[in-house]
Amino acid sequence: MSALPFVFTSPYILFGLLALPAIWWLLRLTPPRPRAEVFPPLRILATVLKREETPSQSPWWLTLLRMLLAAAVIFALADPVINPRNNTLAGSGPLVLIVDNGWASAPDWDRRVQTAQALIGDAERAERPVSIAFTADRDHDAEAGTTAAALEKLAAAKPQPLVPDRRRAAEAVIEAMNGTTPGTLAFITDGVATPDDRAALSNLATMQAAEFRLVEGDGRAVTAITGAENGAETMTVKLSRLDTTGPANLTINAQDTQGRILASDTASFAPGAAETTAVLGAPFELRNDFARLSIDRLSTAGSVHMLDDGFRRRRVALLAGETANDFQPLLQPLFYISRALQPYVDLVPQRQADLATAIPELLQTNPSVIVMADIGRLPQETYAPLERWLSRGGTLIRFAGPRLAAAPADDPLVPVTLRQGERALGGALSWAEPQPLADFPNFGPFAGMPKAEGIHIKRQVLAEPTPDLAERTWASLADGTPLVTTRNIDAGRIVLFHVSAEASWSDLPISGHFVEMLRRIVQLSQVGGSSASANAPAAALPPYRLLTATGSLSPEIGTARPLDVKPGQSPRASFDNPPGLYGTESGFVALNLLPPDATLRPIDTSMAGTATTREGLVGEAAKSMRPALFIAALLMLFADTLIVLFMNGVFSRLPRARSAAAGMLLVLTAGLAAFGPDVARADDPKPGDEAIFERLDTTHLAYVRTGEDDVDRISEQGLRGLSEFLTWRTTLEPGQPVGLDISSDELSFYPIIYWPISATAPMPSTAAISRIDAYMRAGGTVLFDTRDQFSSLDTGNTSANGQRLQEILANVDIPPLEPVPKDHVITRSFYLLNNFPGRYNGSPLWVESRQDAAKTTSGISSSGDGVSPILITGNDLAGAWAVDANGAPVLPTVPPDEVQREHAFRTGVNIMMYMLTGNYKADQVHVPDILQRLGQ
């Protein structure tokens, strides 16, 4: 029996055609004619003016156009489809339907449903029962029943992101039929072969159906990604297709977790070829952001290949013992580290100079690795969170330097016990020559690297010999001393480079080995710093996101069970473990649909046993008329709009419309001008800005308020006296001194802060000391004055004020100190000074020690490239500077000597000029003038 020339997929909408007469009547409806009363004086005007007439009804041809428009919309909604087909069932037994609803059926699932509906409709007209089973469902209810029940099962079915299990479906149908011979056995297949097809078709052949129909699509959309390999320079993607009749070009997209396309490439299939590859030549940092690979314009579970945490790059946080200097970046410890790691990781810079604040902020970003460059003492409250982060899987990489060399030996965050101080190799005071690197051991991350040639170590920190030192050493020098050591802490690891991160201690930071060593250590770290990383799963992982049949990820896990990942075995997708992501947000494993290197092959039906009839899906040669009808309706609507506009005279009024638009533009411009002043007032200064501008515009000397009135009064009078002296003798004109509460006031406005130490004053809080530490790291200087005329920092016999100073600095990462050398910049920054007295003249002025002083051969040198962040004295400088309202000294010097007071003021001037100009006077251009003044 032949089919109609065309069918409507939604025939009930055709009832809308019954409304066409009503639409015609509404369009032709004539309103009542208004009654006209003639006003005599207007008769003359009526003969002069042209009368504008409005028709009482639309023209018949316009009404016909609108009727055709309505009919086109109704027919388009009914969706007429030209689709002839043969709908005859064979035999007299039940209709048995086996439907593939695996991943390959998703592109044409609607047509498969229509095909099944058509077969069920044939069974309904023939009054036959229907048995239906779906090959990708976990459970089967294949009992033969009514056509209405079969249609309900068909409506509830949907494609699954799985490979069909046809054997289980065939066994379920055979058991349900219980020996009954079917008339027509229709297998609506996706055309893709599976390993159990032979057994499934053999079982179906035992049913001895009168007719076996193999219904399949064209297979052009059945293409899958079967594997991906992330190489050194590119990522290679393997693809397989079902239809090999002609050439094909497909676009492969690599997307991140937000669905943004990061890279694309074209995969080309040659005629007859079932497999091909695509190469994504994206940089390493982009390839590490790939979260999934997909075939453009294909929406199946097989056209998507998910990438797990192993493809993500690590997040590395950077910390340094001193802040960066933009003017001399090559001398900064983090410069070479950043350059080495930037192409391979996400760097998280240090935003706060205060380590007590910076370390918790960095830990909140959940880094995989934290790199510390020359940090000795850490704030006490930061050790516990760092140790917790390490125990969960974090990796801490530390570099030596002057601060670490001066740190206590009991630091829990170093892998080995260190000897205090550093070892110098080479130079006038050392018999040893700079040492090269030894061969890398055959264990650890550096195994297999070539020997480092041309790298020499000039300084290092030494480790105390222990029985397990060799096992913890990843790299060493030629003399056997360790260069890189390590220690595991639970799931985490500490790695220490026994040299600095910049090129002053060794040539390692400027070599290619430095990049490779850091990269290998970072690759050992766990993604996200979590011990549940996908790199080494050890237990069953719960389902996190599962793949749908259309290739999207869904949080609905349904009946999925945890994934048991066993070492050396690749898990396979199944009913219990559908494809998707297993684990947690911090770490997961990707389970893809197809096993690696799978190949798509056409299904072999030679084992069906009965005469096989092949046919296509319903609508394979069908053409829907809906798009053409909608386009026709849209064109008629556009024509109707133009006709109505023309009849109303809109086109004749275009010049007036342009004039109206110009008038609206003028009104808008005037409105914006009226609101202009209010917009300008949005930038008015805010409360408190005036005080900030005053601090920034004028240099102020600051002192720490200790809480003792006598001490704070002398500090204020002393800084006021020094400010007046600076105004008289120099071009610097400071403002009034400012007393600071270091726990709350902003410290960055002041170049130097004077802190008088008093043992009877309240002990500053830990937060206040951390703010002072951050202030010094950011480039500020603190002048500590114990006012007790002490002469040494490391003797046990100290005064009460000296003990209080030690308590304050106990949790501050201060650099090594030394008394001001004779050739220091501070001795000649303004005046030429040999000592630095205050009220007393017995204490030296302590500054940051110079690490390279022993190497210099110049008679004049400076203390590095910056200003010492800390100055310590006991000479009571503020007591010598203090003056009353009349300018008279408040306190006498000890012994009474006005020359000593003059030198105290000159000491203050030199300190201020040193703070404001840094190593300016260390320049060689000043050497002749200084030697002339010295009489040399």
Side-chain angles (χ1 to χ4, degrees), residues 479-549:
D479 61 1
T481 55
L483 175 66
V484 181
T485 54
T486 183
R487 176 167 64 96
N488 294 333
I489 297 182
D490 295 334
R493 179 184 290 108
I494 300 177
V495 180
L496 172 64
F497 282 76
H498 289 242
V499 293
S500 64
E502 31 80 27
S504 62
W505 283 30
S506 69
D507 302 327
L508 180 63
I510 58 177
S511 68
H513 280 71
F514 187 70
V515 178
E516 185 64 21
M517 292 169 74
L518 284 179
R519 179 178 173 181
R520 293 195 178 197
I521 295 175
V522 170
Q523 287 298 320
L524 289 178
S525 65
Q526 298 175 355
V527 176
S530 171
S531 59
S533 172
N535 295 333
L541 302 176
Y544 171 55
R545 295 286 190 273
L546 296 184
L547 199 66
T548 64

Side-chain angles (χ1 to χ4, degrees), residues 221-245:
V222 183
T223 306
I225 299 177
T226 58
E229 182 179 354
N230 195 3
E233 301 295 336
T234 60
M235 178 176 287
T236 303
V237 184
K238 299 179 181 179
L239 297 95
S240 180
R241 65 172 179 168
L242 182 64
D243 182 17
T244 61
T245 55

Side-chain angles (χ1 to χ4, degrees), residues 31 212 449 510 652 684 936:
F212 181 81
M449 288 182 58
I510 58 177
S652 63
D684 289 344
Q936 300 179 9

Side-chain angles (χ1 to χ4, degrees), residues 632-649:
L634 181 62
L635 293 176
M636 286 187 284
L637 178 62
F638 182 69
D640 181 88
T641 303
L642 290 179
I643 292 171
V644 171
L645 292 176
F646 182 80
M647 294 176 63
N648 290 335

Side-chain angles (χ1 to χ4, degrees), residues 51-76:
R51 180 176 302 172
E52 183 177 354
E53 298 180 354
T54 301
S56 61
Q57 59 187 18
S58 62
W60 66 269
W61 49 270
L62 182 58
T63 303
L64 179 61
L65 177 66
R66 293 172 178 174
M67 294 291 293
L68 293 176
L69 189 153
V73 171
I74 293 174
F75 277 108

